[in-house]
Amino acid sequence: MHSARPMTREALQAALERADDHEEWVRVLADYFDAAGLFYGHGTDNAGDEAFWLIRHLQGWREGAFEAKPDASLAGTAAEIAERRATLRKPLAYLLGEAWFAGLPFHVDENVLIPRSPLAEVIEGCFAPWVAIEPGVRILDVGTGSGCLAIAAAVHCDGVIVDATDVSKAALAIARRNVERHGVADRVRLIEADLFPSARERYRVIMSNPPYVPARQLESLPPEYRHEPALALVGGETGVEPAERLLEAAGDWLEPGGILLVEVGAEAEPLIERHPRLPFTWLELERGGEGVFVVTAEQLAEYRERSR
Ligand code: GLN
C-alpha cells in the first residue's frame, strides 16, 4: 500500500511498540519501506525480507527471538534505522555493517559492493558439475571486494586454496576482516592487483563478479546504488570491458580443464554480440539471477587461437 504521506519515525516506533508479535513488525516495517518506494536488490528482493533481516539483526540472530513476544525496547532503534533506510536510500547492509552471503555473515562498508552475486549457488555446490574440487585445488577470485566469493569458496569447499585480488586497498582491508572472522586466513590469500596477481599461478577456477554497469547507465540506477563504490559497478563505457579483459587473459592463469566463471548480469547480450564465436555456457540458476557464464580453459585457448 502506498500512503500519501510517509509515516513519521515516532509513529513507526509507536506502531512497533503496540505490535503483539514479530509478524506484525514485519508488516509494519514492510509497509513503511514500500510507502517510501525503496529499491531492493542489495541482499533481499522485497520489503518483507528487508524487514525480517532488520529485526533478526537487532535480535543478534538469537534463536527463538523472532517467535517470542516483541521486545519494545528495540522499537526505537528499528524505527531509526528504517527511517535512515528510507530517507538516505542507503542499502540496509551498510546501515547494519553486515550482509549475508552463501549462508555467512560478512562485514561491509561503503568501500565494498554489497554481497549478492548469484554465484553463491555455484560456490555452495563447489562448482559442480563444471570441475572436480578436492583439497588443495586452487581458486582465484578476481575483484574480491568484501571477500565474499573467496571466503564462501574456502568455507564451503573443503581444503581449497583461494587467491583473491582487488585493486582497492580499502576493499582489501574489509576482506581481511572477513577472512579473520571466518577463520580461513590459512587458505585465503588477499592480493592487491588490478585483476590478475603478478605471480603466474595456475587455477582450476577463476571466478569474478566484475564491474559491468555501462558508465552512462550508472546515473539511472536506483539511488541505493549511489552508496556503492562506482569502482565496483562501472565496467567502462561498454560495461563489458572488465569481462573482456578476463576472457583475454584468464587462459594464462587456468590449469588444463579449469574454468572461468563470471557474472555479467544484463550485459550478457552485449557480450555475446561482441564475441559471437565464443562458446559461452550460460548457467540456469535455481535461486535465480542471470548472466553468469562458464568457459573452459580449452575453449578460451581455441578462441584465442582463432582470433589471431
Ligand atoms: N547491476 C548489478 C547488480 O546490482 C551490478 C553489479 C556489478 O557491476 N558487478 O548486482
Side-chain angles (χ1 to χ4, degrees):
M1 289 293 283
H2 286 249
S3 51
R5 276 227 274 132
M7 207 181 207
T8 63
R9 169 152 61 84
E10 291 72 18
L12 176 58
Q13 179 175 341
L16 294 174
E17 282 165 352
R18 274 196 309 273
D20 294 323
D21 54 33
H22 288 105
E23 302 293 342
E24 200 172 335
W25 274 46
V26 169
R27 272 195 304 277
V28 168
L29 286 165
D31 284 350
Y32 178 84
F33 290 154
D34 274 340
L38 302 188
F39 171 84
Y40 312 100
H42 294 89
T44 73
D45 61 5
N46 64 83
D49 286 353
E50 193 101 345
F52 179 78
W53 175 13
L54 170 55
I55 296 164
R56 293 296 287 131
H57 181 91
L58 293 178
Q59 294 172 337
W61 296 94
R62 262 179 297 102
E63 218 163 306
F66 189 81
E67 293 70 28
K69 234 184 120 47
D71 171 358
S73 75
L74 291 181
T77 315
E80 190 193 311
I81 294 171
E83 184 187 42
R84 289 169 64 216
R85 173 73 182 87
T87 55
L88 304 175
R89 296 294 299 267
K90 194 187 268 217
L92 188 59
Y94 290 146
L95 294 169
L96 304 181
E98 185 170 275
W100 286 80
F101 180 79
L104 305 167
F106 290 90
H107 176 69
V108 292
D109 73 12
E110 285 162 81
N111 290 299
V112 298
L113 198 76
I114 295 165
R116 58 171 171 279
S117 173
L119 289 172
E121 185 179 318
V122 187
I123 295 170
E124 285 174 56
C126 282
F127 309 95
W130 309 103
V131 282
I133 296 291
E134 63 263 3
V137 158
R138 305 183 69 96
I139 296 175
L140 174 65
D141 174 22
V142 177
T144 197
S146 62
C148 62
L149 301 181
I151 294 163
V155 169
H156 289 290
C157 315
D158 248 3
V160 297
I161 311 288
V162 189
D163 285 347
T165 65
D166 207 287
V167 72
S168 158
K169 278 195 172 62
L172 287 170
I174 300 292
R176 165 67 44 212
R177 282 181 64 172
N178 286 318
V179 163
E180 303 293 340
R181 178 172 187 171
H182 291 290
V184 289
D186 56 335
R187 290 190 294 118
V188 178
R189 179 165 59 164
L190 299 171
I191 302 163
E192 189 184 336
D194 183 10
L195 298 192
F196 292 94
S198 50
R200 192 56 68 91
E201 306 276 4
R202 291 281 172 174
Y203 300 96
R204 189 159 302 174
V205 176
I206 298 177
M207 61 179 169
S208 186
N209 173 15
Y212 56 74
V213 177
R216 62 177 188 290
Q217 269 178 28
L218 187 64
E219 284 296 294
S220 48
L221 293 178
E224 277 78 359
Y225 285 87
R226 248 151 264 161
H227 297 275
E228 295 197 290
L231 183 66
L233 285 172
V234 178
E237 290 302 313
T238 60
V240 297
E241 281 156 34
E244 286 182 328
R245 285 177 62 201
L246 290 170
L247 287 167
E248 219 168 272
D252 294 335
W253 275 269
L254 280 174
E255 61 179 40
I259 57 162
L260 172 66
L261 170 69
V262 182
E263 171 188 341
V264 290
E267 299 316 298
E269 287 285 304
L271 194 62
I272 294 166
E273 271 166 34
R274 290 164 67 99
H275 303 272
R277 287 149 67 87
L278 221 165
F280 296 104
T281 299
W282 297 94
L283 305 197
E284 301 256 352
L285 297 165
E286 264 166 41
R287 290 179 348 217
E290 44 149 33
V292 175
F293 72 75
V294 165
V295 281
T296 65
E298 286 65 31
Q299 289 168 335
L300 284 172
E302 202 188 311
Y303 183 65
R304 188 141 63 158
E305 209 37 59
R306 275 200 281 132
S307 334
R308 279 230 162 92

